[in-house]
Amino acid sequence: MPLRASISIHKKLVFMLHLQNLSYSHSNKTVLFQNLQLHLHAKEKMAIIGNNGVGKSTLLKIIAGEFFVSAGQLKTSADPYYIPQIFGQFNDWTIAKAMRVETKWKALKSILNGNVSELQLELLQDDWTIEDRCREALAYWQLFKVDLDQTIGSLSGGQKTKVFLAGIQVHQPDLILLDEPSNYLDLEARNCLYQFLQSCSCAMIVVSHDRNLLNLLDAVGELNATGIKYYGGNYEFYLDQKKKEHQALQEDIAATAKSLRIAKEIDRETKERQNKLNARGKNKQEKSGVAKIMMNTLRNNAEKTSAKLKNIHAEKVQGLKQELQSLRSAIPNPNQMKMEWDASALHVGKRLFAAEGMNIQFAEQQALWKKPISWLLNSGERWVIKGKNGVGKTTLLQILLGSIEPTIGSIFRSECRTVYIDQEYSLVNRKLTVYELAREFNRTGFEEHEINIRLHRFLFDKGDWNTSCQELSGGERMRLLLCCLNISQQSPDLILLDEPTNNLDLENLEILTKAINQYKGTLIVVSHDENFLKDIKANSEFTLE
């Protein structure tokens, strides 16, 4: 029976957070990690890094008290203030609730409207500046035109992140947990985040793939299935140490391979020598007229000696083989993942979408874009859509898909096979297991073993197949989606990517980049990741205002 992590608060301890022998297993009993040890001192800012699926987000949820664990103890000197990486589940919340001020805000509004009751005064807790502090925090993140009663679902991805970050400034917690906080943020907002992290004097644990952010932190903890390895420096320091470790690993591989060659040679020479000695001894025994019973005894002794020597060398050779295999398996091989797309049926230059004076107006609000959109999209092109948070980049993608119709201007859409990969990988049905989803995408009649081969190719071993997609990390969902598209073997005519690099570690980012570069169809990307855009050779740019 899973146990909630034992959480106790000790005000006098010098550490802010202490994890001891912490273990967690998925619902299918698969162990995610075990025996974790972690110490975080007051005002220390630590990054938690590791491959997608290793459990970084899960660890934050455990510390926040949201997840159950199978064993372990957690001690903290303050209540953690936790901000997750995905906000879709909060779309029905108000901004006030997201900032954790809803009770006080409602009480203050009630009092200002004349309902000055003892209950309302008790709920307000004498916090008469709560609205002013919220407005000030929202203004820091350039959120000037939002209302505290407005729903989170009415905001863009970047605006949602800003609202949750603004809550930190209102509450001034001593311990903050941030899961990919720079996701969805434009360049201006990211700079605000960096400034905030540098000026904040609280203790902090951050899960992120943003190198600029990671270099602002004091320490790095690398998470894997058997523990957390601590590096006392920022991300650049960590990379330098990992480079040295990788060099040492390569040297160990070379030394072990050499030892294996020598062991095999010694084993061969020993066998040859022993066979010669056995043959020579047999000839001597026959010439000397030794009794038959004695010859059998001597022969049995020789065979036992040979077998003993054989076992000794065989064990050494096998041990070296296993050691070499273990060392080599520590080096990832993303090159094994290849997208076997078929060719798009569309000829290059075919008109897929055209807009003339297009805009959209919701209810009685102003038109979404200051400048109406006139744009032509032809097959074979690679476009980047840019613009500040909240300018309507995702809305434009929805218009391209036909999910939303513009209210101003005219548009043309051509029939084509389209794949839309949104910020939360919604194509991955979270009610299914990994294997069930792969079978669902098998529309070309692959045999079972062929599906298995592709799952292995995309780093999903047999032990992962019964894992619920709900339990996968963002990077694992992306990798599984690529695998499923590979299984479907139907190359889309048009791929729409909405902030595709969010939540990806460096290994999975390389996988996605290679997959996109293997794709020869039409591509539209919304992203603030300049390095990624450069790597995928997105050569046309459209900026929304």
Side-chain angles (χ1 to χ4, degrees):
M1 177 86 179
L3 306 171
R4 186 178 294 278
S6 175
I7 302 177
S8 55
I9 298 178
H10 299 265
K11 295 294 184 181
K12 296 182 180 180
L13 297 178
V14 294
F15 57 77
M16 184 58 64
L17 176 69
H18 172 68
L19 306 182
Q20 185 175 358
N21 299 325
L22 211 64
S23 300
Y24 178 82
S25 300
H26 287 305
S27 57
N28 64 359
K29 308 301 181 183
T30 302
V31 177
L32 182 61
F33 50 68
Q34 57 188 350
N35 300 322
L36 297 191
Q37 315 289 336
L38 177 66
H39 306 274
L40 182 74
H41 296 283
K43 300 183 179 181
E44 183 180 13
K45 299 180 177 70
M46 178 187 293
I48 297 293
I49 65 172
N51 291 339
N52 285 132
V54 76
K56 303 184 295 294
S57 296
T58 298
L59 179 59
L60 291 192
K61 289 178 180 179
I62 290 172
I63 297 171
E66 293 192 3
F67 267 23
F68 294 90
V69 295
S70 57
Q73 188 177 39
L74 186 157
K75 297 179 182 178
T76 177
S77 300
D79 290 321
Y81 194 97
Y82 168 59
I83 297 181
Q85 64 171 276
I86 297 174
F87 305 112
Q89 67 270 37
F90 307 123
N91 281 342
D92 294 334
W93 286 18
T94 63
I95 289 178
K97 185 172 183 179
M99 296 178 71
R100 306 187 188 186
V101 299
E102 188 174 48
T103 300
K104 289 184 178 182
W105 167 238
K106 286 183 176 180
L108 178 61
K109 284 199 304 180
S110 181
I111 292 170
L112 294 176
N113 288 330
N115 182 19
V116 188
S117 66
E118 185 175 338
L119 174 61
Q120 299 301 332
L121 290 170
E122 182 180 345
L123 292 175
L124 183 60
Q125 297 179 354
D126 220 21
D127 193 354
W128 297 97
T129 64
I130 185 63
E131 181 180 6
D132 293 335
R133 298 203 318 278
C134 287
R135 297 291 179 198
E136 183 180 348
L138 290 169
Y140 175 86
W141 297 101
Q142 306 297 308
L143 294 175
F144 299 105
K145 297 181 180 180
V146 297
D147 190 271
L148 290 175
D149 289 325
Q150 188 174 336
T151 62
I152 289 293
S154 65
L155 304 176
S156 70
Q159 289 173 321
K160 292 175 185 178
T161 303
K162 292 176 181 180
V163 166
F164 280 84
L165 290 171
I168 296 176
Q169 288 154 293
V170 173
H171 296 281
Q172 299 290 312
D174 292 321
L175 175 59
I176 299 174
L177 310 175
L178 300 177
D179 197 349
E180 299 286 2
S182 61
N183 280 0
Y184 316 116
L185 295 182
D186 56 34
L187 183 59
E188 183 179 355
R190 288 189 180 204
N191 288 331
C192 286
L193 175 63
Y194 302 153
Q195 292 171 13
F196 170 71
L197 294 181
Q198 287 177 296
S199 62
C200 183
S201 60
C202 62
M204 189 179 299
I205 295 182
V206 183
V207 170
S208 179
H209 68 281
D210 183 338
R211 293 192 179 195
N212 292 328
L213 187 157
L214 294 174
N215 278 327
L216 300 176
L217 306 179
D218 306 318
V220 173
E222 185 182 56
L223 177 64
N224 58 48
T226 58
I228 298 177
K229 188 170 183 179
Y230 182 87
Y231 294 84
N234 66 5
Y235 190 65
E236 289 297 330
F237 175 81
Y238 162 79
L239 289 178
D240 182 64
Q241 294 301 306
K242 291 297 289 185
K243 184 178 180 180
K244 293 176 181 177
E245 290 176 7
H246 182 76
Q247 183 177 352
L249 178 61
Q250 295 287 8
E251 291 173 357
D252 286 345
I253 289 174
T256 304
K258 182 179 180 181
S259 297
L260 180 59
R261 289 194 301 270
I262 293 173
K264 286 181 176 180
E265 182 64 21
I266 292 175
D267 183 40
R268 183 186 63 79
E269 291 176 353
T270 301
K271 287 178 182 177
E272 290 178 356
R273 190 183 311 115
Q274 190 62 43
N275 289 337
K276 289 179 180 179
L277 289 174
N278 291 343
R280 190 181 305 159
K282 183 179 179 181
N283 290 334
K284 286 183 178 180
Q285 291 161 9
E286 290 175 347
K287 291 179 180 178
S288 62
V290 178
K292 185 176 182 181
I293 188 170
M294 179 60 70
M295 286 182 64
N296 289 338
T297 301
L298 292 172
R299 184 175 65 251
N300 289 338
N301 289 338
E303 288 175 352
K304 287 180 181 178
T305 301
S306 298
K308 186 176 181 181
L309 287 171
K310 182 179 179 181
N311 289 336
I312 290 173
H313 288 290
E315 287 175 5
K316 185 173 183 179
V317 168
Q318 185 61 30
L320 287 169
K321 282 182 178 179
Q322 291 176 352
E323 182 181 352
L324 186 59
Q325 183 179 358
S326 176
L327 289 169
R328 284 175 173 165
S329 65
I331 300 177
N333 181 22
N335 294 322
Q336 69 186 30
M337 283 161 272
K338 294 181 180 179
M339 297 300 297
E340 297 172 350
W341 302 107
D342 60 7
S344 172
L346 299 181
H347 64 80
V348 175
K350 176 181 173 62
R351 186 174 64 156
L352 300 183
F353 179 85
E356 186 66 36
M358 181 183 72
N359 215 324
I360 190 165
Q361 191 169 6
F362 298 102
E364 298 179 358
Q365 300 177 6
Q366 293 181 344
L368 179 59
W369 296 299
K370 293 179 182 179
K371 184 179 178 181
I373 294 175
S374 295
W375 183 35
L376 176 63
L377 172 67
N378 294 318
S379 64
E381 296 176 341
R382 293 193 164 213
W383 283 87
V384 180
I385 299 176
K386 291 189 174 182
K388 292 185 177 181
N389 292 139
V391 77
K393 299 185 293 293
T394 299
T395 300
L396 178 55
L397 295 184
Q398 294 292 336
I399 291 175
L400 283 163
L401 287 167
S403 303
I404 296 176
E405 294 295 335
T407 57
I408 301 172
S410 62
I411 64 169
F412 164 82
R413 295 189 194 93
S414 175
E415 288 291 330
C416 65
R417 198 162 55 200
T418 303
V419 169
Y420 174 46
I421 302 178
D422 63 9
Q423 298 174 357
E424 297 178 11
Y425 309 109
S426 299
L427 284 175
V428 176
N429 186 341
R430 301 184 189 185
K431 295 180 181 179
L432 302 180
T433 65
V434 168
Y435 196 80
E436 288 170 345
L437 187 72
R439 292 185 64 182
E440 191 171 90
F441 273 78
N442 183 22
R443 296 160 189 152
T444 53
F446 273 145
E447 297 292 335
E448 187 172 334
H449 72 275
E450 293 176 302
I451 297 176
N452 299 347
I453 288 171
R454 281 159 177 79
L455 285 169
H456 276 293
R457 186 182 297 168
F458 282 81
L459 307 183
F460 290 100
D461 295 328
K462 191 171 183 178
D464 302 319
W465 295 353
N466 289 325
T467 301
S468 169
C469 294
Q470 177 67 33
E471 295 178 338
L472 299 179
S473 69
E476 286 176 310
R477 287 175 192 156
M478 182 279 299
R479 186 158 25 92
L480 179 59
L481 179 55
L482 290 179
C483 178
C484 289
L485 292 174
N486 184 265
I487 289 171
S488 73
Q489 284 198 310
Q490 292 183 316
S491 176
D493 302 315
L494 172 64
I495 293 180
L496 306 178
L497 299 175
D498 195 353
E499 298 287 3
T501 63
N502 287 352
N503 314 318
L504 300 187
D505 60 23
L506 295 177
E507 181 183 11
N508 281 296
L509 180 56
E510 181 181 354
I511 293 167
L512 177 62
T513 301
K514 287 187 176 182
I516 295 302
N517 284 333
Q518 290 170 20
Y519 172 67
K520 302 305 180 185
T522 312
L523 181 70
I524 298 179
V525 185
V526 172
S527 178
H528 299 290
D529 190 331
E530 294 295 335
N531 290 325
F532 173 70
L533 295 176
K534 181 180 178 181
D535 289 341
I536 63 171
K537 302 176 180 61
N539 47 24
S540 299
E541 184 176 311
F542 190 86
T543 302
L544 294 176
E545 297 177 0

